[in-house]
Amino acid sequence: MRVLLLIIFTFSLFAQEEEKTVSHYQEAMAFKSSWVLYKNAPDNYASYRAFLKSAEKLEDSELKAGAYAYAALGAYLQGKVEYGTRTYNSLNELGQNIGDSKWLNFCSVDQFGDECSVCEGSAKNSRACKKCNGTKTCRNAECRKGQIIKLEKIDGNFEEVSTDCPVCEATGFCQTCGGSGIYKIPCNICRSFGYLLNKMKVREQFKSGLMGMNALVDAHLVEGFEKDQLAKGKIKRGDRYYTAAEIEKMDTAARLKNERTSQVQRRREEQKREQELRAKMDKKFKSLEDDSVLAPEKAKKVIENDFSNVADPVKKRYINTYLKQADLMIKAKEAENKGLELEAIKWLKEAQKLRDHEAIKEKIKKLKLESIGL
Ligand SMILES: [Zn+2]
Ligand SMILES: [Zn+2]
Ligand SMILES: [Zn+2]
């Protein structure tokens, strides 16, 4: 698995070198590759260095903060606490830009330490003072509690004369250890940190933040893709990106669909109104349907007498159709009476065009047969 990732990573590096302008998406992909390599081998120095390098290239963001925090953890895992501390300090400076201490807390080293049992966290160990051998007192052999007492002959008599000890400046204490009897040396067990790094704790922390960090890495990829799309002049709609031409096409299609829908709706409403009207038609009106074809003179009279002032537009349309049809039927009958079968057929066909009626069809058939002398 690691070998495969390494190959992919190397390949992506070559791909970057070849292309002069690297897209945001490709950059994000390269970062993801280094992250994947690193998270699988954080105690490997090479993958750690590569990851830190690509983290430094990121723009200031929560992702960069997370990457620094993770690089610090890797340094701890490799026992390079100084490196980790340096990265921690970089993150601290970054924090002022991104205003978040979450990742700073995530990688602060003190939470991973077990107190050093040798120096008990003081980072220093005590040794007995070599100058005074731990006696705490002045090394001057003549010094008695800071005073040097000598016998001097004054007026023939010996008298004790005391003077301040120059070595301890009359304090009586050892000057090297300040009278404590001990001196401190840096603790060589914890290398003056005062604690011993517990790598188990670091590893646990590493694992606990993986989901959050993976999400940031993937979000960075999406962002990179979006930036590239916008740079190409594409427009975001929903979750996808389109060219202006594509947007135009989609909008036109949607508008046409809307228009079709409203047309269909209008037609349906009209049909419904017609059905309602037909249901309400009185007998007289209904009988026009047949009369306009079978008894056109009668139909015309009824329309003139009873339906000349119709206001309803649908009803009016029906009346007009009946009236025209009645006229055509009369013309056909006159032609037929004159023996002009072909002319009669012509009028009948016009009447049939207006409104289909079984009787007209029959009549046309009959006239056709007559016209060829059958
Ligand atoms: Zn120590
Ligand atoms: Zn001393
Ligand atoms: Zn002294």
Side-chain angles (χ1 to χ4, degrees):
M1 183 63 181
R2 280 184 194 177
V3 174
L4 181 69
L5 286 170
L6 194 66
I7 291 167
I8 293 169
F9 182 55
T10 314
F11 178 75
S12 71
L13 280 180
F14 277 126
Q16 268 192 22
E17 266 172 42
E18 267 178 23
E19 255 180 76
K20 274 182 185 169
T21 49
V22 180
S23 74
H24 292 101
Y25 180 74
Q26 281 171 313
E27 272 175 3
M29 263 317 271
F31 178 75
K32 184 172 180 169
S33 301
S34 76
W35 161 244
V36 171
L37 274 174
Y38 172 66
K39 75 173 173 179
N40 286 312
D43 42 11
N44 175 288
Y45 183 68
S47 69
Y48 155 79
R49 281 302 302 168
F51 176 65
L52 185 58
K53 249 187 163 174
S54 49
E56 281 162 355
K57 278 191 237 157
L58 292 172
E59 279 173 32
D60 286 355
S61 62
E62 202 198 336
L63 176 67
K64 188 169 192 169
Y68 273 173
Y70 259 97
L73 293 192
Y76 302 154
L77 283 175
Q78 293 169 57
K80 294 177 166 62
V81 177
E82 300 93 332
Y83 287 16
T85 308
R86 215 179 296 154
T87 308
Y88 177 87
N89 290 336
S90 301
L91 176 56
N92 199 6
E93 283 164 27
L94 195 66
Q96 288 156 18
N97 294 331
I98 63 163
D100 192 353
S101 59
K102 174 182 139 190
W103 289 106
L104 209 57
N105 296 334
F106 183 76
C107 71
S108 70
V109 74
D110 39 338
Q111 64 194 302
F112 307 121
D114 288 336
E115 196 183 81
C116 175
S117 56
V118 176
C119 65
E120 292 174 326
S122 70
K124 285 183 174 148
N125 288 325
S126 304
R127 291 277 184 278
C129 176
K130 281 178 183 166
K131 299 288 180 187
C132 65
N133 275 325
T135 62
K136 306 175 186 177
T137 54
C138 178
R139 292 181 293 116
N140 187 351
E142 294 180 314
C143 175
R144 298 282 176 274
K145 291 181 178 169
Q147 297 295 310
I148 297 166
I149 298 161
K150 281 184 178 163
L151 289 174
E152 274 184 23
K153 200 173 182 180
I154 298 166
D155 297 335
N157 299 317
F158 284 97
E159 282 181 24
E160 284 187 352
V161 176
S162 69
T163 52
D164 287 353
C165 170
V167 178
C168 64
E169 290 167 344
T171 60
F173 294 126
C174 167
Q175 285 300 287
T176 305
C177 63
S180 65
I182 54 171
Y183 74 99
K184 301 268 189 182
I185 55 161
C187 176
N188 60 355
I189 299 300
C190 63
R191 294 196 288 163
S192 297
F193 287 121
Y195 54 84
L196 291 168
L197 200 67
N198 184 332
K199 288 189 184 175
M200 282 285 284
K201 283 186 187 170
V202 180
R203 252 176 241 287
E204 270 167 36
Q205 183 81 324
F206 200 97
K207 264 189 227 162
S208 77
L210 276 180
M211 257 186 27
M213 185 62 189
N214 284 335
L216 286 177
V217 171
D218 286 340
H220 184 230
L221 266 185
V222 173
E223 260 169 47
F225 180 75
E226 288 188 349
K227 274 186 197 163
D228 290 343
Q229 295 300 308
L230 295 175
K232 282 181 201 163
K234 294 212 177 177
I235 300 153
K236 189 174 189 184
R237 186 169 283 187
D239 290 336
R240 304 188 61 174
Y241 289 85
Y242 303 93
T243 61
E246 283 168 336
I247 291 273
E248 167 83 29
K249 211 170 160 188
M250 283 194 306
D251 286 353
T252 307
R255 204 181 56 240
L256 287 177
K257 196 184 167 192
N258 263 343
E259 278 169 13
R260 271 199 302 277
T261 310
S262 59
Q263 260 176 21
V264 167
Q265 216 166 338
R266 230 180 295 138
R267 218 173 295 142
R268 265 192 210 134
E269 275 166 19
E270 229 166 79
Q271 280 171 357
K272 202 179 150 200
R273 265 175 49 71
E274 272 187 34
Q275 279 167 2
E276 282 169 1
L277 192 75
R278 286 173 74 86
K280 277 190 285 178
M281 275 177 191
D282 55 20
K283 244 183 182 172
K284 216 178 225 175
F285 189 88
K286 230 168 182 176
S287 64
L288 283 175
E289 221 169 5
D290 282 334
D291 285 353
S292 63
V293 171
L294 303 174
E297 291 89 352
K298 183 189 159 197
K300 272 186 88 168
K301 246 177 221 159
V302 171
I303 289 169
E304 273 160 29
N305 291 337
D306 302 334
F307 297 101
S308 56
N309 293 321
V310 171
D312 188 301
V314 178
K315 207 167 180 178
K316 214 169 179 172
R317 210 168 63 221
Y318 271 98
I319 296 287
N320 276 337
T321 308
Y322 293 150
L323 203 57
K324 278 185 197 162
Q325 209 159 26
D327 281 336
L328 288 166
M329 292 308 289
I330 290 167
K331 277 183 181 170
K333 202 180 269 180
E334 283 166 3
E336 192 191 347
N337 289 342
K338 288 179 194 163
L340 303 169
E341 282 99 352
L342 288 178
E343 200 190 316
I345 289 173
K346 190 184 90 185
W347 296 125
L348 286 170
K349 276 188 175 168
E350 295 247 330
Q352 181 78 340
K353 239 189 266 169
L354 272 179
R355 187 172 61 102
D356 195 32
H357 199 286
E358 196 59 30
I360 305 178
K361 227 196 273 173
E362 290 296 316
K363 188 89 186 161
I364 292 171
K365 220 193 249 170
K366 204 183 127 211
L367 283 176
K368 270 185 180 170
L369 292 174
E370 274 172 22
S371 70
I372 55 173
L374 284 167

